[in-house]
């Protein structure tokens, strides 16, 4: 898994995160000599420098000095909780990787093997036909070219390997999956579930469905995996391999086949197109260390560099046949940027259950799936689509001002009252006007055009947010909470780190970039299976859908090669 002198492979995978790792594993298992191109440094499983540090062992009690923030993370720090000593090594420095904004865009990313699979939130919820049919029913954007029946067997295929803990609820809006046992709700969370069910039967409080191994089966959970020991230090990297990442799961399995090469420090500049064959012949990259320009060839290419990364590469892959970017005759490449928006929710104190506590720091609390605009009974008159919630309940110690020494120790070792918090995550519609584009007159240190973002929330999202906050307060009131506070501070697009949609799937090459198999309409040996392929955003965390689509696309590509079509 080092740099390779070879320049010819069966398959190229651009990016090594959630989608790239899965594409590499599936291709290698099918016998394809596969090279994974990662623009950042090598990180192997276990190379997680802060994984075992306690907070008092980290500099500045885990805080980053103001001078360092202003020098390197001025945009990342718009989310003031984000850059910390325990995770900053996974986060790009803004001054080294600049971008521009016509409208504010919070671009959170890290360049290293594994990408954001090392620091993702791990929530995994299936899309349903409520999502796949919404655009067509509402006359929004374009229709998805697939339905739940097309992807259901691929959810079934990837979920056991990923290892998703969760509880079956029989809900049509978030179909049940192949679950490990859930991380159970604690006493206050269970009380919230029962109270909400009694007053609002359509609202379900369930244990979050996350890619943390609540139980471990070595025959299923291949790679460097192990059972979760409930430390809740996931975004640092897990030395136990208890959550799914490229390092703990997909890349080790791919490596075992003998078909994998990982090339770090490889910045893909463009995909090389051959007009005579109508296919791509490979990629042109820049070695980040030597600055040498290198061309690598392959029969098929999987773009998995993230929504922004893959789209930027395609936009920069210009030729006489595609002067506006590879496969972009529709003009849709870079448009229809989506994300989820949050910064809204509520919190309250639960003045009961004081004889109940919990053990360990489980990696997830509760989830409340979407409950609006499911049918005529739940239809809203002032906005489309919906929202879901993620939250938790904890005992919160009190820290009174002016108290020190032995008296303070006695106070902080008391468990304090229960506090329940929930954050609302809303759907962003696929507006053509929300976009990213390249500034060909301004380049980065590698000579690659700078990315500019122009995307924002609009009226539908504002109406949705108001209702989301209202419903959060209602549910806390139903549980008997007091001192309830609420917030509605709109986040910029990008802040939820669920960017989607800039190379969308569709039926028609005139209005979409990809077909139903995640294949470029116009360049059949190029596949895009990261978030850029999405035609709508849903309310669900999307990573498990990317993995299902990736496995499905690799299987299709293999069948096309086998029958001589590719």
């Amino acid at each position: 898994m080092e740099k390779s002198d070879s320049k010819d492979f069966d398959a190229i995978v651009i990016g090594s995160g959630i989608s790239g790792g899965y594409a590499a594993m599936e291709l290698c298992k099918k016998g394809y000599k596969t090279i994974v191109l990662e623009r950042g440094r090598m990180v192997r499983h276990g190379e997680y420098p802060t994984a075992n540090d306690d907070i008092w062992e980290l500099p500045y009690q885990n805080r980053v000095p103001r001078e360092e923030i202003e020098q390197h993370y001025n945009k990342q720090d718009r989310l003031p909780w984000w850059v910390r000593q325990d995770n900053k090594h996974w986060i790009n420095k803004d001054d080294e990787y600049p971008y521009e904004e016509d409208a504010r865009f919070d671009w959170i990313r890290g360049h290293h093997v594994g990408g954001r699979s090392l620091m993702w939130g791990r929530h995994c919820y299936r899309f349903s036909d409520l999502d796949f049919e919404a655009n067509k029913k509402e006359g929004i954007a374009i229709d998805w070219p697939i339905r739940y029946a097309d992807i259901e067997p691929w959810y079934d295929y990837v979920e056991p390997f990923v290892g998703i803990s969760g509880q079956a609820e029989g809900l049509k809006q978030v179909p049940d999956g192949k679950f490990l046992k859930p991380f159970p709700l604690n006493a206050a969370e269970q009380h919230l579930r029962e109270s909400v069910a009694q007053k609002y039967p359509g609202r379900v409080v369930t244990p979050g469905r996350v890619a943390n191994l609540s139980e471990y089966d070595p025959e299923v959970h291949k790679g460097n995996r192990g059972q979760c020991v409930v430390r809740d230090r996931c975004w640092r990297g897990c030395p136990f391999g208890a959550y799914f990442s490229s390092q703990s799961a997909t890349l080790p399995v791919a490596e075992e086949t003998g078909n994998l090469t990982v090339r770090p420090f490889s910045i893909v500049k463009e995909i090389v197109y051959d007009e005579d064959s109508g296919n791509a012949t490979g990629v042109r990259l820049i070695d980040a260390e030597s600055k040498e320009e290198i061309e690598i060839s392959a029969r098929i290419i999987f773009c998995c560099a993230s929504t922004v990364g893959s789209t930027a590469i395609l936009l920069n892959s210009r030729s006489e046949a595609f002067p506006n970017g590879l496969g972009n005759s529709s003009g849709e490449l870079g448009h229809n940027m989506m994300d989820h928006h949050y910064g809204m929710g509520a919190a309250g104190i639960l003045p009961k259950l004081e004889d109940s506590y919990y053990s360990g720091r489980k990696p997830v609390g509760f989830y409340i799936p979407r409950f609006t605009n499911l049918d005529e009974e739940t239809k809203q008159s002032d906005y489309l689509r919906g929202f879901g919630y993620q939250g938790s309940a904890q005992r919160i110690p009190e820290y009174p001002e002016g108290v020190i020494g032995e008296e303070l120790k006695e106070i902080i070792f008391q468990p304090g009252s229960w506090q329940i918090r929930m954050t609302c995550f809303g759907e962003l519609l696929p507006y053509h006007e929300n976009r990213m584009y390249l500034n060909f007159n301004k380049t980065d240190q590698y000579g690659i055009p700078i990315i500019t973002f122009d995307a924002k929330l609009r009226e539908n999202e504002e109406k949705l947010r108001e209702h989301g906050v209202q419903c959060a307060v209602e549910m806390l009131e139903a549980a008997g909470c007091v001192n309830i506070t609420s917030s509605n501070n709109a986040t910029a697009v990008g802040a939820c780190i669920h960017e989607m949609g800039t190379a969308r799937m569709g039926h028609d090459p005139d209005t979409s970039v990809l077909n139903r198999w995640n294949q470029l309409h116009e360049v059949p040996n190029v596949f895009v299976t990261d978030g850029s392929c999405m035609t709508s955003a849903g309310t669900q965390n999307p990573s498990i859908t990317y993995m299902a689509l990736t496995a499905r696309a690799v299987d299709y590509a293999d069948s096309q090669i086998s029958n001589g079509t590719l």
Side-chain angles (χ1 to χ4, degrees):
M1 295 173 66
E2 296 289 354
K3 287 188 179 180
S4 170
D5 292 330
S6 177
K7 302 294 189 296
D8 190 19
F9 293 84
D10 298 325
I12 294 171
V13 176
I14 307 172
S16 62
I18 289 282
S19 302
Y22 224 104
M25 180 181 71
E26 293 297 308
L27 287 161
C28 287
K29 284 165 59 178
K30 292 181 183 297
Y32 294 94
K33 294 293 184 181
T34 301
I35 185 167
V36 174
L37 300 174
E38 167 55 53
R39 66 173 294 156
R41 69 187 186 277
M42 173 62 77
V43 175
R44 294 175 178 81
H45 178 62
E47 295 179 346
Y48 314 133
T50 62
N52 293 314
D53 290 343
D54 285 305
I55 192 169
W56 56 85
E57 297 175 307
L58 295 164
Y60 309 108
Q61 289 281 297
N62 202 25
R63 294 174 181 163
V64 178
R66 194 74 241 156
E67 298 80 6
E68 186 177 348
I69 290 289
E70 291 174 355
Q71 180 179 358
H72 296 305
Y73 303 103
N74 59 315
K75 289 181 179 176
Q76 308 284 322
D77 193 52
R78 293 165 176 172
L79 306 176
W81 50 268
W82 176 239
V83 182
R84 290 288 183 263
Q85 296 287 352
D86 64 354
N87 74 337
K88 69 178 185 179
H89 46 279
W90 303 137
I91 301 172
N92 283 2
K93 295 179 178 179
D94 291 319
D95 57 324
E96 295 179 1
Y97 300 96
Y99 64 94
E100 297 186 339
E101 303 159 295
D102 292 341
R104 173 178 161 179
F105 189 94
D106 294 340
W107 190 16
I108 312 297
R109 74 275 194 213
H111 294 156
H112 47 263
V113 170
R116 289 184 296 198
S117 79
L118 286 175
M119 52 186 181
W120 65 310
R122 307 169 311 285
H123 283 256
C124 294
Y125 306 99
R126 295 186 178 197
F127 273 47
S128 72
D129 277 335
L130 185 71
D131 306 295
F132 291 121
E133 296 175 356
N135 281 1
K136 184 176 182 179
K137 286 183 176 179
E138 298 166 356
I140 299 293
I142 64 170
D143 183 26
W144 276 89
I146 62 172
R147 292 295 185 262
Y148 182 67
D150 298 306
I151 195 174
E152 181 181 15
W154 295 100
Y155 282 131
D156 289 347
Y157 175 76
V158 303
E159 285 175 344
F161 176 75
V162 173
I164 300 170
S165 62
Q167 181 169 300
E169 299 284 4
L171 302 174
K172 65 179 181 180
Q173 64 269 41
V174 279
D176 295 330
K178 303 291 187 180
F179 296 140
L180 305 175
K181 66 182 181 182
F183 289 93
L185 300 175
N186 62 36
E189 292 165 350
Q190 182 65 28
H191 172 76
L192 177 69
R193 174 183 170 94
E194 294 168 3
S195 302
V196 169
Q198 184 174 4
K199 186 163 186 180
Y200 302 103
R203 306 180 189 183
V204 177
V205 180
T206 189
R209 300 172 179 177
V210 288
N212 290 71
L213 297 184
S214 57
E215 47 191 329
Y216 168 60
D217 183 347
E219 296 302 315
V220 177
H221 306 124
K222 304 289 189 180
N224 301 315
R225 305 299 298 277
Q227 186 168 335
C228 181
V229 295
V230 293
R231 305 187 320 152
D232 194 25
R233 293 178 174 176
C234 305
W235 74 354
R236 301 182 185 189
C238 181
F240 305 99
Y243 73 80
F244 177 91
S245 69
S246 296
Q247 272 83 351
S248 69
T250 50
L251 292 182
V253 173
E255 187 178 19
E256 287 175 1
T257 68
N259 294 323
L260 177 68
T261 300
V262 175
R263 192 182 200 281
F265 298 112
S266 300
I267 303 169
V268 175
K269 181 180 179 181
E270 60 185 316
I271 295 172
V272 181
Y273 176 71
D274 177 60
E275 193 166 350
D276 292 334
S277 67
N279 283 320
T281 58
V283 303
R284 193 168 288 121
L285 65 84
I286 298 169
D287 187 291
E289 295 180 306
S290 69
K291 305 298 190 292
E292 178 186 6
E293 193 166 291
I294 299 167
E295 193 164 314
I296 295 178
S297 61
R299 187 171 186 174
I300 53 174
I301 298 170
F302 272 72
C303 292
C304 303
S306 82
T307 292
V308 176
S310 289
T311 302
I313 291 167
L314 292 169
L315 285 169
N316 199 42
S317 302
R318 300 186 295 174
S319 62
E320 286 189 18
F322 298 108
N324 298 314
L326 187 68
N328 190 29
S329 296
S330 67
E332 291 296 328
L333 189 62
H335 290 271
N336 315 296
M337 172 70 79
M338 297 173 287
D339 188 21
H340 294 131
H341 51 105
Y342 65 116
M344 51 181 165
I349 300 298
L350 184 65
K352 56 182 66 177
L353 303 175
E354 294 181 357
D355 59 345
S356 298
Y357 203 68
Y358 44 86
S359 176
R361 297 187 292 268
K362 61 178 181 166
V364 66
F366 60 82
Y367 181 66
I368 304 174
R370 172 181 166 183
F371 50 79
T372 64
N373 288 323
L374 305 180
D375 48 33
E376 284 301 315
E377 185 178 346
T378 58
K379 187 174 182 179
Q380 303 297 310
S381 61
D382 52 352
Y383 67 86
L384 299 173
R385 312 292 168 93
F387 46 81
Y389 300 87
Q390 295 173 24
S392 64
Q394 295 176 308
R395 300 291 294 264
I396 306 297
E398 297 180 7
Y399 302 100
E401 293 186 11
V403 178
I404 62 173
E406 185 175 341
E407 184 181 358
L408 176 61
K409 291 180 182 178
E410 290 178 358
I411 293 172
I412 65 175
F413 277 99
Q414 300 302 313
S417 301
W418 283 102
Q419 183 186 65
I420 303 177
R421 306 183 67 90
M422 63 178 74
T423 298
C424 184
F425 294 81
E427 181 165 355
L428 173 60
L429 294 178
Y431 302 105
H432 178 80
E433 298 80 6
N434 281 357
R435 63 173 183 149
M436 57 166 282
Y437 61 93
L438 300 185
N439 183 347
F440 291 99
N441 297 316
K442 193 171 184 178
T443 58
D444 65 13
Q445 58 181 310
Y446 303 104
I448 296 174
I450 294 288
I451 297 168
T452 303
F453 296 99
D454 185 8
K456 61 185 179 181
L457 308 186
R458 300 172 192 271
E459 183 179 1
N460 190 74
E461 290 71 45
E462 297 301 332
K463 295 290 187 182
L464 180 155
R465 295 179 65 86
E466 293 172 6
H467 193 211
V469 174
Q470 175 190 327
C471 292
V473 172
E474 290 172 352
M475 288 185 283
L476 292 177
E477 289 175 342
C481 288
V482 298
N483 300 331
I484 296 173
T485 59
S486 64
S487 60
N488 186 357
N489 303 308
T491 50
V493 181
C496 203
I497 326 181
H498 295 167
E499 316 95 89
M500 291 176 262
T502 46
R504 69 186 179 190
M505 299 167 69
H507 298 284
D508 188 348
D510 291 337
T511 58
S512 60
V513 179
L514 307 172
N515 67 12
R516 69 193 312 267
W517 301 106
N518 294 80
Q519 182 181 34
L520 285 181
H521 284 298
E522 300 173 291
V523 189
N525 69 331
V526 176
F527 295 79
V528 184
T529 64
D530 55 29
S532 52
C533 75
M534 302 290 278
T535 311
S536 66
T539 59
Q540 303 92 315
N541 300 54
S543 292
I544 195 65
T545 299
Y546 303 164
M547 289 186 265
L549 288 172
T550 298
R552 179 176 181 265
V554 170
D555 185 73
Y556 175 76
D558 179 53
S559 70
Q560 293 296 291
I561 290 172
S562 297
N563 67 26
T565 304
L566 274 182

